[in-house]
Amino acid sequence: MKERLATRALLVVSCLVLVTRGIDARSNMQRENSSQIITNRQLNTTITMEGGDVFGCIDVNLQPSFDHPLLKDHKIQMKPSSLPIGHNIPSPVLHVVSQARLPIVECPIGMVPILRNDGRDQRATHITEQVINMDDQLEEAGIKYRDDFYGVRATINVYGPKVKKDSKDLSQSGIQIDNGPRGHVESIAACYSVAPSFVGDSFVRFHVAWRGILNKTCYDHTCPGFVEVSHNVGLGGRILLVSVYNGPQFAINILIFKDPKTKNWWVTYGEENTPIGYWPSSLFSYIKDKGNFSYWGGHVSGPTASSDSPQIGSGHFASEGNGKAAFMRNIQIVDGNNKLVTPNRYKDVVGTSDTSKYSVDGYEVNNHGIHMYYGGPGNFV
Ligand SMILES: *[C@@H]1O[C@H](CO)[C@@H](O)[C@H](O)[C@H]1NC(C)=O
Ligand SMILES: *[C@@H]1O[C@H](CO)[C@@H](O)[C@H](O)[C@H]1NC(C)=O
Ligand SMILES: *[C@@H]1O[C@H](CO)[C@@H](O)[C@H](O)[C@H]1NC(C)=O
Ligand SMILES: *[C@@H]1O[C@H](CO)[C@@H](O)[C@H](O)[C@H]1NC(C)=O
């Protein structure tokens, strides 16, 4: 099915929108709190990254997530009980693409990295206060999927879309999973994002995001909820290797799936499906059992996202194809038998909210999943 996506069609709450709308007054408070918590627990190590990000390493059992009221009696799960069937079947290599490096922070084993860009956070908070309650504009290019499923996997080509520095808009691409009725939609997501006015620079950053029972949107460790088990993936940090138009291409493999034993939602990355962490099932009510809506692709959002749109993906139309347009490929879902399968092509809607600015092309379905090119220049010329 290939149609024009209606912009405000339904539950569209992408990682990006979570990121924007998630930074509300309450989460600013939580952020202060979580810094306090970290200080009180006396960080063992502080690591400064190339580009200036500062991460603290904190004991995996003392991470801020365990302060979440719904995680009072939570027992940490250090690795998934199992991975979905078919996780180790290699995907065919169509074109040479290297793995993009997630922000790697070498915390000692038994610790997890927490981003603590205090100065930057204050700046972001300040900007955020002006953004609250604004009726943000939204544009998108990708695939919406409506069916019951227990996970999603995709290979996501990483680019640095241009976003005007002074615009308060942002551009993001990734995977989102939802369930729940209107007004109570629960979501989990993983994405890369460029958000200059929120983070103070135009680097491409990696995030996880969610909204659960508390109806509060959150990302990374800025409010408690996501339990990290990786001692070296720095959520919110820079992705260092980003694709170049008509040059080297980089991609990340992301797999989000529900642990059939513990019901926690895991997120893993890379060719080895290395665990980053999980969203405990107790954070959720509707999405506890399964997802029933998913979004794969890119979004832009913000006060001028429609009137003066940022780029999505490479900033080039999907029709330019390999090496020039951003792709998402090997998109698979986890079915009721805990098996990675090609999504049902009759349950997806493929397209863009504004065909003059963005497009989707190269849509193809095979045994290894769905492939597409997507993105475009927005209003950039
Ligand atoms: C920290 O969180 C507690 C509740 O856990 C709240 O009462 C307090 O006001 C918060 N402090 C700050 C500085 O946000
Ligand atoms: C910090 O962690 C290292 C390695 O785990 C340990 O050897 C050292 O004693 C710790 N330092 C403090 C102050 O806890
Ligand atoms: C998903 O399920 C909820 C009930 O849990 C329902 O209200 C909602 O409409 C469903 N969403 C879609 C996209 O089917
Ligand atoms: C959840 O928050 C959204 C806005 O962020 C609001 O529209 C909705 O009514 C809220 N739902 C509940 C149950 O509070």
Side-chain angles (χ1 to χ4, degrees):
M1 244 196 293
K2 192 162 178 176
E3 338 178 328
R4 190 175 182 275
L5 295 178
T7 307
R8 303 222 176 249
L10 60 155
L11 329 157
V12 183
V13 184
S14 73
C15 186
L16 158 120
V17 175
L18 287 169
V19 168
T20 337
R21 308 236 158 99
I23 312 171
D24 56 18
R26 270 186 305 159
S27 81
N28 293 335
M29 295 237 322
Q30 294 255 358
R31 180 184 311 218
E32 281 161 25
N33 255 353
S34 92
S35 320
Q36 264 171 10
I37 290 158
I38 293 167
T39 316
N40 293 344
R41 282 171 186 167
Q42 290 174 356
L43 285 171
N44 185 299
T45 326
T46 298
I47 297 176
T48 303
M49 308 287 287
E50 182 190 334
D53 284 346
V54 178
F55 282 87
C57 299
I58 186 165
D59 188 314
V60 64
N61 293 299
L62 299 177
Q63 59 187 300
S65 283
F66 296 119
D67 299 322
H68 195 293
L70 295 170
L71 299 184
K72 273 212 170 70
D73 302 314
H74 185 75
K75 273 229 162 62
I76 193 166
Q77 183 184 3
M78 284 307 290
K79 57 178 206 235
S81 316
S82 60
L83 287 164
I85 299 159
H87 70 91
N88 46 1
I89 298 173
S91 309
V93 179
L94 292 175
H95 304 289
V96 180
V97 174
S98 309
Q99 284 286 322
R101 274 216 355 249
L102 288 188
I104 294 298
V105 185
E106 289 300 343
C107 285
I109 306 277
M111 302 210 154
V112 294
I114 312 260
L115 184 61
R116 2 173 28 207
N117 288 351
D118 297 338
R120 198 188 77 188
D121 271 5
Q122 273 156 24
R123 195 159 62 236
T125 302
H126 180 68
I127 294 162
T128 306
E129 276 159 6
Q130 302 164 11
V131 177
I132 299 169
N133 294 330
M134 204 144 50
D135 198 16
D136 280 347
Q137 299 173 349
L138 172 70
E139 301 290 345
E140 59 198 4
I143 298 175
K144 289 174 179 175
Y145 187 73
R146 283 179 199 95
D147 198 4
D148 289 352
F149 56 87
Y150 301 83
V152 174
R153 168 163 87 169
T155 299
I156 303 164
N157 193 193
V158 180
Y159 267 99
K162 287 204 177 83
V163 179
K164 285 189 180 149
K165 278 200 171 60
D166 51 358
S167 70
K168 304 193 180 79
D169 293 335
L170 31 86
S171 177
Q172 163 270 325
S173 288
I175 298 171
Q176 178 175 328
I177 297 173
D178 287 359
N179 198 343
R182 200 176 269 273
H184 297 254
V185 176
E186 296 177 349
S187 304
I188 53 179
C191 69
Y192 75 78
S193 150
V194 174
S197 62
F198 292 90
V199 298
D201 59 49
S202 294
F203 294 133
V204 183
R205 293 176 179 275
F206 179 75
H207 299 287
V208 298
W210 72 99
R211 183 170 57 217
I213 291 173
L214 299 187
N215 197 33
K216 178 172 178 303
T217 46
C218 289
Y219 64 101
D220 304 335
H221 292 291
T222 56
C223 50
F226 184 81
V227 177
E228 180 155 4
V229 299
S230 165
H231 71 98
N232 62 13
V233 173
L235 296 175
R238 288 174 63 185
I239 299 179
L240 287 179
L241 298 171
V242 174
S243 306
V244 176
Y245 176 74
N246 210 11
Q249 299 296 305
F250 298 95
I252 30 173
N253 297 353
I254 295 289
L255 167 62
I256 301 177
F257 65 99
K258 199 159 71 72
D259 189 311
K261 277 218 178 93
T262 62
K263 315 287 184 208
N264 298 328
W265 282 95
W266 281 90
V267 53
T268 72
Y269 77 101
E271 277 157 346
E272 308 294 323
N273 300 300
T274 309
I276 298 173
Y278 62 91
W279 293 277
S281 73
S282 53
L283 296 178
F284 305 111
S285 102
Y286 294 102
I287 211 174
K288 236 188 173 99
D289 294 324
K290 62 192 170 201
N292 70 353
F293 174 84
S294 192
Y295 184 77
W296 313 318
H299 286 248
V300 293
S301 146
T304 57
S306 299
S307 51
D308 190 11
S309 304
Q311 297 181 343
I312 291 179
S314 69
H316 290 259
F317 284 109
S319 57
E320 292 196 32
N322 182 47
K324 298 179 173 176
F327 67 76
M328 204 173 284
R329 70 185 187 204
N330 305 126
I331 302 169
Q332 293 180 304
I333 56 162
V334 179
D335 71 6
N337 299 316
N338 196 32
K339 193 174 170 194
L340 279 159
V341 296
T342 295
N344 182 338
R345 66 188 309 170
Y346 300 106
K347 303 209 164 164
D348 68 17
V349 180
V350 184
T352 169
S353 54
D354 186 338
T355 51
S356 71
K357 295 177 180 174
Y358 311 108
S359 60
V360 179
D361 207 338
Y363 174 84
E364 212 179 280
V365 184
N366 60 36
N367 290 343
H368 299 280
I370 296 176
H371 172 284
M372 70 166 160
Y373 294 110
Y374 70 99
N379 284 98
F380 270 88
V381 280

